Amino acid sequence: MKPIAISRLTICGIDELPTHRNHGVSHVLSVLDPDREDPAIFSDYAPHERTILRFHDVIDDKEGRPAPIKANVEAILEYGEGLKNSREERRDGHLLVHCHMGVSRSTAAMITLMAQCEPDRDEDSIFTTIRDIRPIAWPNSVMIAFADDMLGRKGRLTAALHRHYAAQLARDKMFEGWMTDLERGREVEFGRAIMPQKTSV
Protein backbone atom coordinates (compact mmCIF):
# COMPACT_ATOMS: atom_id res chain seq x y z
CA MET A 1 0.00 0.00 0.00
CA LYS A 2 2.86 2.34 -0.86
CA PRO A 3 0.66 5.23 -2.13
CA ILE A 4 -0.58 5.91 1.41
CA ALA A 5 2.76 5.04 3.09
CA ILE A 6 1.31 2.16 5.07
CA SER A 7 3.89 -0.60 5.12
CA ARG A 8 2.07 -3.09 7.34
CA LEU A 9 -1.50 -4.30 6.92
CA THR A 10 -3.46 -6.35 9.46
CA ILE A 11 -6.98 -7.77 9.37
CA CYS A 12 -8.47 -9.36 12.45
CA GLY A 13 -11.54 -9.98 14.58
CA ILE A 14 -12.45 -8.46 17.93
CA ASP A 15 -11.11 -11.41 19.92
CA GLU A 16 -7.69 -10.97 18.31
CA LEU A 17 -7.31 -7.26 19.06
CA PRO A 18 -5.33 -7.82 22.29
CA THR A 19 -2.60 -9.63 20.34
CA HIS A 20 -1.91 -6.50 18.28
CA ARG A 21 -1.69 -3.88 21.01
CA ASN A 22 2.13 -3.96 21.01
CA HIS A 23 2.54 -4.18 17.24
CA GLY A 24 2.94 -0.48 16.50
CA VAL A 25 -0.53 0.05 15.07
CA SER A 26 -0.81 3.63 13.83
CA HIS A 27 -4.22 3.54 12.13
CA VAL A 28 -7.37 1.57 12.93
CA LEU A 29 -10.55 1.14 10.93
CA SER A 30 -13.21 -0.53 13.06
CA VAL A 31 -16.31 -1.95 11.36
CA LEU A 32 -18.85 -2.86 14.02
CA ASP A 33 -22.47 -3.90 14.29
CA PRO A 34 -24.62 -0.83 15.01
CA ASP A 35 -25.58 -2.05 18.49
CA ARG A 36 -22.28 -3.62 19.52
CA GLU A 37 -20.34 -2.14 22.43
CA ASP A 38 -17.09 -0.50 21.42
CA PRO A 39 -14.09 -2.71 22.32
CA ALA A 40 -12.25 -1.28 25.30
CA ILE A 41 -8.91 -2.76 24.24
CA PHE A 42 -7.89 0.29 22.21
CA SER A 43 -7.11 2.18 25.41
CA ASP A 44 -4.17 -0.23 25.78
CA TYR A 45 -2.81 0.58 22.32
CA ALA A 46 -0.13 3.19 21.72
CA PRO A 47 -1.47 6.52 20.40
CA HIS A 48 -3.14 5.92 17.05
CA GLU A 49 -5.77 7.30 14.69
CA ARG A 50 -9.04 5.40 14.73
CA THR A 51 -12.23 5.57 12.68
CA ILE A 52 -15.39 3.62 13.56
CA LEU A 53 -18.02 2.58 11.01
CA ARG A 54 -21.20 0.74 11.97
CA PHE A 55 -23.29 -1.49 9.71
CA HIS A 56 -24.37 -5.12 9.58
CA ASP A 57 -22.63 -8.02 7.84
CA VAL A 58 -25.40 -9.45 5.69
CA ILE A 59 -25.97 -9.54 1.95
CA ASP A 60 -29.78 -9.32 2.01
CA ASP A 61 -31.95 -7.06 4.12
CA LYS A 62 -33.24 -8.87 7.19
CA GLU A 63 -35.56 -7.68 9.93
CA GLY A 64 -33.56 -5.20 11.97
CA ARG A 65 -30.40 -5.94 9.99
CA PRO A 66 -30.23 -4.07 6.68
CA ALA A 67 -27.54 -4.98 4.18
CA PRO A 68 -24.66 -2.54 3.64
CA ILE A 69 -25.55 0.47 1.53
CA LYS A 70 -23.56 2.70 -0.79
CA ALA A 71 -22.98 5.25 1.97
CA ASN A 72 -21.12 2.65 4.03
CA VAL A 73 -18.62 2.05 1.24
CA GLU A 74 -18.41 5.79 0.56
CA ALA A 75 -17.29 6.16 4.18
CA ILE A 76 -14.52 3.60 3.60
CA LEU A 77 -13.38 5.50 0.51
CA GLU A 78 -13.44 8.76 2.46
CA TYR A 79 -11.22 7.08 5.04
CA GLY A 80 -8.87 6.01 2.25
CA GLU A 81 -8.68 9.56 0.94
CA GLY A 82 -7.70 10.72 4.40
CA LEU A 83 -4.87 8.20 4.50
CA LYS A 84 -3.64 9.29 1.08
CA ASN A 85 -3.84 12.98 1.95
CA SER A 86 -1.88 12.52 5.17
CA ARG A 87 0.89 10.33 3.75
CA GLU A 88 3.39 13.20 3.63
CA GLU A 89 3.10 13.54 7.40
CA ARG A 90 4.60 10.10 8.09
CA ARG A 91 7.27 7.78 6.79
CA ASP A 92 5.62 4.54 7.73
CA GLY A 93 2.52 3.06 9.30
CA HIS A 94 0.59 0.00 10.40
CA LEU A 95 -3.06 -0.15 9.39
CA LEU A 96 -5.34 -2.53 11.29
CA VAL A 97 -8.82 -3.15 9.92
CA HIS A 98 -11.17 -5.26 12.00
CA CYS A 99 -14.78 -6.32 12.20
CA HIS A 100 -16.43 -8.91 14.42
CA MET A 101 -14.53 -11.95 13.11
CA GLY A 102 -12.12 -10.50 10.57
CA VAL A 103 -13.72 -12.46 7.75
CA SER A 104 -16.17 -10.37 5.73
CA ARG A 105 -16.61 -6.64 6.36
CA SER A 106 -12.98 -6.02 7.28
CA THR A 107 -11.62 -7.93 4.28
CA ALA A 108 -14.03 -6.12 1.95
CA ALA A 109 -12.94 -2.80 3.46
CA MET A 110 -9.24 -3.60 2.99
CA ILE A 111 -9.84 -4.66 -0.61
CA THR A 112 -11.68 -1.40 -1.21
CA LEU A 113 -8.77 0.63 0.21
CA MET A 114 -6.21 -1.26 -1.84
CA ALA A 115 -8.23 -0.90 -5.05
CA GLN A 116 -8.66 2.80 -4.32
CA CYS A 117 -5.03 3.55 -3.54
CA GLU A 118 -3.60 1.38 -6.31
CA PRO A 119 -5.95 2.10 -9.23
CA ASP A 120 -3.75 0.36 -11.79
CA ARG A 121 -3.26 -2.81 -9.79
CA ASP A 122 -4.69 -6.04 -11.18
CA GLU A 123 -7.77 -7.14 -9.26
CA ASP A 124 -6.72 -10.76 -8.83
CA SER A 125 -3.43 -9.69 -7.27
CA ILE A 126 -5.38 -7.67 -4.70
CA PHE A 127 -7.28 -10.79 -3.67
CA THR A 128 -4.05 -12.80 -3.58
CA THR A 129 -2.67 -10.27 -1.10
CA ILE A 130 -5.86 -10.44 0.95
CA ARG A 131 -5.56 -14.25 1.19
CA ASP A 132 -1.95 -13.81 2.30
CA ILE A 133 -2.96 -11.30 4.97
CA ARG A 134 -6.13 -13.13 6.07
CA PRO A 135 -6.44 -16.73 4.85
CA ILE A 136 -10.07 -16.96 6.08
CA ALA A 137 -11.13 -13.93 4.03
CA TRP A 138 -14.67 -14.11 2.64
CA PRO A 139 -15.43 -10.50 1.63
CA ASN A 140 -18.99 -9.15 1.70
CA SER A 141 -20.17 -9.19 -1.92
CA VAL A 142 -22.52 -6.24 -1.49
CA MET A 143 -19.67 -4.04 -0.30
CA ILE A 144 -17.41 -5.17 -3.13
CA ALA A 145 -20.12 -4.46 -5.72
CA PHE A 146 -20.46 -0.88 -4.48
CA ALA A 147 -16.68 -0.44 -4.44
CA ASP A 148 -16.39 -1.85 -7.95
CA ASP A 149 -18.88 0.69 -9.24
CA MET A 150 -17.56 3.71 -7.34
CA LEU A 151 -13.95 3.00 -8.27
CA GLY A 152 -14.76 2.52 -11.95
CA ARG A 153 -13.46 -1.04 -12.01
CA LYS A 154 -16.22 -1.98 -14.50
CA GLY A 155 -17.07 -5.33 -12.96
CA ARG A 156 -13.49 -6.54 -12.71
CA LEU A 157 -13.40 -6.36 -8.92
CA THR A 158 -16.61 -8.37 -8.67
CA ALA A 159 -15.34 -10.95 -11.15
CA ALA A 160 -12.13 -11.30 -9.13
CA LEU A 161 -14.23 -11.70 -5.98
CA HIS A 162 -16.05 -14.65 -7.55
CA ARG A 163 -12.70 -16.22 -8.43
CA HIS A 164 -11.62 -15.63 -4.84
CA TYR A 165 -14.71 -17.44 -3.58
CA ALA A 166 -13.89 -20.34 -5.90
CA ALA A 167 -10.32 -20.43 -4.60
CA GLN A 168 -11.51 -20.47 -1.00
CA LEU A 169 -14.04 -23.22 -1.66
CA ALA A 170 -11.36 -25.31 -3.36
CA ARG A 171 -8.89 -24.69 -0.55
CA ASP A 172 -11.14 -25.56 2.39
CA LYS A 173 -14.50 -27.30 2.26
CA MET A 174 -15.56 -25.68 5.53
CA PHE A 175 -16.34 -22.42 3.70
CA GLU A 176 -19.39 -23.87 1.93
CA GLY A 177 -21.13 -25.01 5.11
CA TRP A 178 -20.02 -21.98 7.09
CA MET A 179 -21.30 -19.43 4.60
CA THR A 180 -24.47 -21.37 3.87
CA ASP A 181 -25.26 -21.41 7.60
CA LEU A 182 -24.72 -17.64 7.64
CA GLU A 183 -27.27 -17.26 4.81
CA ARG A 184 -24.54 -16.33 2.34
CA GLY A 185 -25.39 -19.16 -0.06
CA ARG A 186 -25.56 -16.78 -3.01
CA GLU A 187 -21.86 -16.03 -2.58
CA VAL A 188 -21.09 -19.75 -2.41
CA GLU A 189 -22.91 -20.19 -5.71
CA PHE A 190 -20.86 -17.38 -7.26
CA GLY A 191 -17.74 -19.36 -6.46
CA ARG A 192 -19.09 -22.78 -7.37
CA ALA A 193 -20.28 -21.50 -10.76
CA ILE A 194 -16.71 -21.00 -11.93
CA MET A 195 -15.06 -23.97 -10.25
CA PRO A 196 -13.91 -26.77 -12.58
CA GLN A 197 -16.60 -29.43 -12.81
CA LYS A 198 -15.62 -32.95 -11.82
CA THR A 199 -16.24 -35.53 -14.53
CA SER A 200 -17.18 -39.11 -13.85
CA VAL A 201 -15.32 -42.01 -15.47
Side-chain angles (χ1 to χ4, degrees):
M1 229 168 183
K2 186 176 179 182
I4 57 173
I6 296 288
S7 60
R8 185 172 181 183
L9 305 175
T10 296
I11 300 170
C12 73
I14 290 174
D15 290 347
E16 300 163 271
L17 289 172
T19 67
H20 296 290
R21 59 188 161 193
N22 297 318
H23 291 175
V25 172
S26 58
H27 297 77
V28 175
L29 177 60
S30 296
V31 185
L32 301 170
D33 292 345
D35 56 353
R36 187 173 184 90
E37 185 176 349
D38 191 28
I41 186 64
F42 289 108
S43 62
D44 294 338
Y45 277 50
H48 59 278
E49 298 177 14
R50 181 171 176 235
T51 296
I52 303 172
L53 304 178
R54 291 185 177 272
F55 53 90
H56 293 287
D57 184 27
V58 294
I59 61 172
D60 296 298
D61 290 338
K62 303 184 183 301
E63 186 174 356
R65 299 176 66 210
I69 60 175
K70 183 178 180 180
N72 300 137
V73 179
E74 286 176 338
I76 295 169
L77 293 172
E78 182 178 348
Y79 178 77
E81 283 299 315
L83 289 178
K84 288 196 298 181
N85 292 338
S86 64
R87 67 183 182 272
E88 299 300 329
E89 302 171 10
R90 61 181 183 275
R91 293 191 316 161
D92 210 345
H94 180 180
L95 170 64
L96 183 149
V97 180
H98 81 90
C99 57
H100 181 64
M101 295 183 66
V103 173
S104 182
R105 287 169 293 182
S106 56
T107 59
M110 188 70 87
I111 289 164
T112 299
L113 293 172
M114 294 173 70
Q116 174 189 27
C117 296
E118 301 180 77
D120 297 324
R121 185 173 179 183
D122 174 75
E123 290 79 13
D124 285 306
S125 75
I126 293 174
F127 283 92
T128 297
T129 297
I130 287 297
R131 288 192 293 274
D132 289 341
I133 297 171
R134 192 66 171 172
I136 60 172
W138 190 275
N140 185 294
S141 59
V142 175
M143 294 173 63
I144 295 297
F146 282 127
D148 193 331
D149 179 60
M150 286 186 275
L151 293 171
R153 291 273 178 162
K154 299 182 179 179
R156 297 189 304 274
L157 201 62
T158 296
L161 173 67
H162 294 183
R163 291 190 289 273
H164 168 81
Y165 288 155
Q168 295 293 66
L169 291 169
R171 185 177 65 84
D172 194 330
K173 293 182 179 179
M174 70 95 179
F175 279 107
E176 182 167 357
W178 185 16
M179 292 303 142
T180 299
D181 289 345
L182 291 174
E183 301 182 42
R184 305 279 286 270
R186 187 165 74 252
E187 294 173 336
V188 172
E189 289 305 314
F190 289 152
R192 290 182 64 182
I194 60 175
M195 292 178 71
Q197 300 298 312
K198 294 182 180 180
T199 57
S200 59
V201 289

